[in-house]
Amino acid sequence: MSIMRQQAVPISLDAHLNWKGVTWRELDIQGQVDPRGASIPGEVYPQEGSLNIGGIPFHIPASNSAREDMVSCEGQQIVCSKPGQYETLIVLGFSVFGDYSDFIGFSYENAISELKPLELTDWFQYYPNKSALFGEETAFEIPYFLDEAEEVARPVAVWLQRIPCNPALTLQQIRLPDNPFMFIVAMTLT
Amino acid sequence: MQQTALNPPKRYHAYQNILQCYDTVIASYISGSGLPYHWLFSEHWGFYYYDAERFYYRRHYSRYPLWDALRKLYKVRKTMFTDIPLTALLDSPRFAQKKQMFVIADEFDLPWTPEYQNIHHPHYFLLTDYDKAGHKVYVNDWWPVPYQDWLDLSMLEASFQEMGEHAFVLSEPSFHYSDALLLEQMEVAYTQMTGWEDNGLSAGIYGIRRFQQDILRMGQETASFIDRWFYMVKLTIEAKYLFLEYVLFLKVERGCPIPDAFTQLLERTINGWFSFRNTMMSAKIRKSLQPDKLADRLGKVVELEQACAEQWGDIMQQTRLSVQESADHSESGESIR
């Protein structure tokens, strides 16, 4: 049975959310993404649901509860809900306390697997006239971040990174790197 | 040495932040004298473990290792200036003659840096000219954003003062390559990788294993060390990146028999250290420290470090044979003549 090439398929990360990064001050919900206590203000973060960036749909998890709202990479194995032939995995994410070039694993049918670089620049490396270090696009800017409850008027960014898959093979699972300071907020296969 | 504008140092790794401001400005100075700078990082793969409060990538954990390499390999002397106003330093006959002053200033006040008016952070760069009448200095800076231009001195004075009025000058570097030096530095790195134990110091793989045992022994007490370890491991990782840059230099410029698989292994090892460091800190943030999980991460680092040492040993052996072969050819050539 041949499997048709899939359209863009947002991956649900709900079962893998393990980090609370978004703060809602008025709801007394505290997130934290780095050792210094920095977090993302909920009021400038995309709301739960579909987010379209350059025609690509992503599913953003809910952030306005105490529940985790992003994935800290710890080698998780993500099973594709729609196995298929894809050209690219598109990741929305960022790193903290470093720029990391690690590996993401793709498992295809017939026990074929491959490792591809997953590179995410530190979210602090966002400057108006400077590209991200690994060629990522800016998915969205966060105009200020929170240091505990204080606003710091220093823009940071969530990046959009593209990782090529093998479009001749049916992708079944994705294995994340083992670096907890690489954060993924959404992923879509195209 | 008359240098109004220097060039940025040549880099072999694609990662733009592999050299930071301090490394970059020193590397540029060495390059400006027509010398290769990468030997500065030829002893940066070490790990020296004394106890849970003291480990580093150099035996002398209280001293910045670049200075040892500058002295030993480039015969450079450093002269420090502290608590002297910038204008006094620039007015000195020394500056008029040498046109060289390394300064430390606060990025917060430096308009070309990304953290201008954002974050207070020390930043190193080089001044190579002074226009007293125009009240301007010529700035050479390459990281994180290149800037080579005249700057109004008044913009720099407060920033220099903010960081404690620290400046220094370096003597003219000299460096003479020889195959013996190459082999000697390869041997030093190999010894740093494999390690040893001596009088309370555990170096290289011995040191990482002892660190691992201490984590298991201390259990939850480990939590009180995490902030310190996070910083110390950060320095260790930065040093390893610089060694990787040196290895790429040896491969490209000296033709050393270094396979891509080895540089990839170095990168995987660096990632292993990142994994350990960030697992440690994320556990602290989440209040979910599991010392055995942490020790397990370090166990993976040990495996990677062992593989690095084995492959580096092979590369060193091949280089030694290749050097011997060239020497033999050269000798037989002479005898024919």
Side-chain angles (χ1 to χ4, degrees), chain B residues 296-310:
Chain B
D296 178 53
R297 291 294 201 291
L298 211 46
K300 286 177 185 161
V301 171
V302 168
E303 285 171 21
L304 289 161
E305 291 270 359
Q306 276 173 328
C308 289
E310 280 167 25

PDB file of all heavy atoms in Angstrom, chain B residues 296-310:
ATOM      1  N   ASP B 296      24.595   9.447  35.599  1.00  0.00           N
ATOM      2  CA  ASP B 296      24.469   8.698  34.348  1.00  0.00           C
ATOM      3  C   ASP B 296      24.855   9.574  33.146  1.00  0.00           C
ATOM      4  O   ASP B 296      25.548   9.131  32.225  1.00  0.00           O
ATOM      5  CB  ASP B 296      23.015   8.213  34.228  1.00  0.00           C
ATOM      6  CG  ASP B 296      22.777   7.459  32.939  1.00  0.00           C
ATOM      7  OD1 ASP B 296      23.542   6.517  32.689  1.00  0.00           O
ATOM      8  OD2 ASP B 296      21.838   7.827  32.182  1.00  0.00           O
ATOM      9  N   ARG B 297      24.423  10.850  33.170  1.00  0.00           N
ATOM     10  CA  ARG B 297      24.794  11.784  32.094  1.00  0.00           C
ATOM     11  C   ARG B 297      26.325  11.935  32.036  1.00  0.00           C
ATOM     12  O   ARG B 297      26.917  11.997  30.967  1.00  0.00           O
ATOM     13  CB  ARG B 297      24.180  13.164  32.307  1.00  0.00           C
ATOM     14  CG  ARG B 297      22.686  13.220  32.150  1.00  0.00           C
ATOM     15  CD  ARG B 297      22.283  12.938  30.713  1.00  0.00           C
ATOM     16  NE  ARG B 297      20.967  13.425  30.372  1.00  0.00           N
ATOM     17  CZ  ARG B 297      19.823  12.948  30.820  1.00  0.00           C
ATOM     18  NH1 ARG B 297      19.826  11.938  31.649  1.00  0.00           N
ATOM     19  NH2 ARG B 297      18.671  13.464  30.434  1.00  0.00           N
ATOM     20  N   LEU B 298      26.926  12.008  33.216  1.00  0.00           N
ATOM     21  CA  LEU B 298      28.381  12.165  33.254  1.00  0.00           C
ATOM     22  C   LEU B 298      29.067  10.874  32.780  1.00  0.00           C
ATOM     23  O   LEU B 298      30.148  10.923  32.182  1.00  0.00           O
ATOM     24  CB  LEU B 298      28.807  12.535  34.689  1.00  0.00           C
ATOM     25  CG  LEU B 298      30.028  13.419  34.853  1.00  0.00           C
ATOM     26  CD1 LEU B 298      30.035  14.608  33.917  1.00  0.00           C
ATOM     27  CD2 LEU B 298      30.146  13.899  36.298  1.00  0.00           C
ATOM     28  N   GLY B 299      28.413   9.749  33.046  1.00  0.00           N
ATOM     29  CA  GLY B 299      28.937   8.464  32.547  1.00  0.00           C
ATOM     30  C   GLY B 299      29.009   8.466  31.027  1.00  0.00           C
ATOM     31  O   GLY B 299      29.975   7.964  30.429  1.00  0.00           O
ATOM     32  N   LYS B 300      28.006   9.060  30.392  1.00  0.00           N
ATOM     33  CA  LYS B 300      28.025   9.151  28.918  1.00  0.00           C
ATOM     34  C   LYS B 300      29.171  10.038  28.462  1.00  0.00           C
ATOM     35  O   LYS B 300      29.812   9.775  27.437  1.00  0.00           O
ATOM     36  CB  LYS B 300      26.683   9.691  28.415  1.00  0.00           C
ATOM     37  CG  LYS B 300      25.577   8.656  28.521  1.00  0.00           C
ATOM     38  CD  LYS B 300      24.244   9.223  28.087  1.00  0.00           C
ATOM     39  CE  LYS B 300      23.153   8.168  28.325  1.00  0.00           C
ATOM     40  NZ  LYS B 300      21.812   8.752  28.366  1.00  0.00           N
ATOM     41  N   VAL B 301      29.428  11.100  29.225  1.00  0.00           N
ATOM     42  CA  VAL B 301      30.555  11.994  28.902  1.00  0.00           C
ATOM     43  C   VAL B 301      31.869  11.206  28.996  1.00  0.00           C
ATOM     44  O   VAL B 301      32.741  11.332  28.127  1.00  0.00           O
ATOM     45  CB  VAL B 301      30.579  13.220  29.840  1.00  0.00           C
ATOM     46  CG1 VAL B 301      31.860  14.021  29.667  1.00  0.00           C
ATOM     47  CG2 VAL B 301      29.365  14.111  29.597  1.00  0.00           C
ATOM     48  N   VAL B 302      31.995  10.377  30.023  1.00  0.00           N
ATOM     49  CA  VAL B 302      33.224   9.579  30.184  1.00  0.00           C
ATOM     50  C   VAL B 302      33.443   8.701  28.946  1.00  0.00           C
ATOM     51  O   VAL B 302      34.549   8.636  28.400  1.00  0.00           O
ATOM     52  CB  VAL B 302      33.162   8.714  31.470  1.00  0.00           C
ATOM     53  CG1 VAL B 302      34.281   7.683  31.486  1.00  0.00           C
ATOM     54  CG2 VAL B 302      33.238   9.593  32.711  1.00  0.00           C
ATOM     55  N   GLU B 303      32.371   8.041  28.495  1.00  0.00           N
ATOM     56  CA  GLU B 303      32.491   7.173  27.308  1.00  0.00           C
ATOM     57  C   GLU B 303      32.961   7.984  26.098  1.00  0.00           C
ATOM     58  O   GLU B 303      33.837   7.545  25.343  1.00  0.00           O
ATOM     59  CB  GLU B 303      31.146   6.534  26.985  1.00  0.00           C
ATOM     60  CG  GLU B 303      30.770   5.413  27.942  1.00  0.00           C
ATOM     61  CD  GLU B 303      29.331   4.946  27.742  1.00  0.00           C
ATOM     62  OE1 GLU B 303      28.765   5.189  26.659  1.00  0.00           O
ATOM     63  OE2 GLU B 303      28.778   4.361  28.703  1.00  0.00           O
ATOM     64  N   LEU B 304      32.376   9.157  25.916  1.00  0.00           N
ATOM     65  CA  LEU B 304      32.754   9.998  24.770  1.00  0.00           C
ATOM     66  C   LEU B 304      34.196  10.488  24.913  1.00  0.00           C
ATOM     67  O   LEU B 304      34.964  10.501  23.931  1.00  0.00           O
ATOM     68  CB  LEU B 304      31.794  11.195  24.665  1.00  0.00           C
ATOM     69  CG  LEU B 304      30.378  10.856  24.203  1.00  0.00           C
ATOM     70  CD1 LEU B 304      29.398  11.966  24.576  1.00  0.00           C
ATOM     71  CD2 LEU B 304      30.350  10.630  22.694  1.00  0.00           C
ATOM     72  N   GLU B 305      34.575  10.879  26.114  1.00  0.00           N
ATOM     73  CA  GLU B 305      35.945  11.371  26.344  1.00  0.00           C
ATOM     74  C   GLU B 305      36.964  10.250  26.093  1.00  0.00           C
ATOM     75  O   GLU B 305      38.051  10.495  25.570  1.00  0.00           O
ATOM     76  CB  GLU B 305      36.086  11.906  27.774  1.00  0.00           C
ATOM     77  CG  GLU B 305      35.324  13.199  28.044  1.00  0.00           C
ATOM     78  CD  GLU B 305      36.131  14.460  27.768  1.00  0.00           C
ATOM     79  OE1 GLU B 305      37.309  14.363  27.374  1.00  0.00           O
ATOM     80  OE2 GLU B 305      35.568  15.560  27.932  1.00  0.00           O
ATOM     81  N   GLN B 306      36.594   9.019  26.481  1.00  0.00           N
ATOM     82  CA  GLN B 306      37.495   7.890  26.234  1.00  0.00           C
ATOM     83  C   GLN B 306      37.696   7.679  24.729  1.00  0.00           C
ATOM     84  O   GLN B 306      38.813   7.456  24.271  1.00  0.00           O
ATOM     85  CB  GLN B 306      36.923   6.612  26.861  1.00  0.00           C
ATOM     86  CG  GLN B 306      37.276   6.491  28.335  1.00  0.00           C
ATOM     87  CD  GLN B 306      36.579   5.338  29.017  1.00  0.00           C
ATOM     88  OE1 GLN B 306      35.453   4.990  28.661  1.00  0.00           O
ATOM     89  NE2 GLN B 306      37.232   4.780  30.017  1.00  0.00           N
ATOM     90  N   ALA B 307      36.577   7.778  24.003  1.00  0.00           N
ATOM     91  CA  ALA B 307      36.671   7.618  22.537  1.00  0.00           C
ATOM     92  C   ALA B 307      37.536   8.730  21.940  1.00  0.00           C
ATOM     93  O   ALA B 307      38.353   8.480  21.040  1.00  0.00           O
ATOM     94  CB  ALA B 307      35.274   7.631  21.932  1.00  0.00           C
ATOM     95  N   CYS B 308      37.395   9.957  22.459  1.00  0.00           N
ATOM     96  CA  CYS B 308      38.222  11.083  21.975  1.00  0.00           C
ATOM     97  C   CYS B 308      39.701  10.774  22.210  1.00  0.00           C
ATOM     98  O   CYS B 308      40.536  10.966  21.316  1.00  0.00           O
ATOM     99  CB  CYS B 308      37.881  12.379  22.708  1.00  0.00           C
ATOM    100  SG  CYS B 308      36.289  13.070  22.301  1.00  0.00           S
ATOM    101  N   ALA B 309      40.013  10.311  23.413  1.00  0.00           N
ATOM    102  CA  ALA B 309      41.416  10.033  23.756  1.00  0.00           C
ATOM    103  C   ALA B 309      41.984   8.942  22.848  1.00  0.00           C
ATOM    104  O   ALA B 309      43.111   9.068  22.339  1.00  0.00           O
ATOM    105  CB  ALA B 309      41.518   9.632  25.220  1.00  0.00           C
ATOM    106  N   GLU B 310      41.197   7.893  22.631  1.00  0.00           N
ATOM    107  CA  GLU B 310      41.679   6.800  21.767  1.00  0.00           C
ATOM    108  C   GLU B 310      41.959   7.305  20.358  1.00  0.00           C
ATOM    109  O   GLU B 310      43.014   7.039  19.778  1.00  0.00           O
ATOM    110  CB  GLU B 310      40.645   5.677  21.712  1.00  0.00           C
ATOM    111  CG  GLU B 310      40.688   4.770  22.934  1.00  0.00           C
ATOM    112  CD  GLU B 310      39.464   3.873  23.028  1.00  0.00           C
ATOM    113  OE1 GLU B 310      38.841   3.600  21.984  1.00  0.00           O
ATOM    114  OE2 GLU B 310      39.130   3.485  24.171  1.00  0.00           O
TER     115      GLU B 310
END
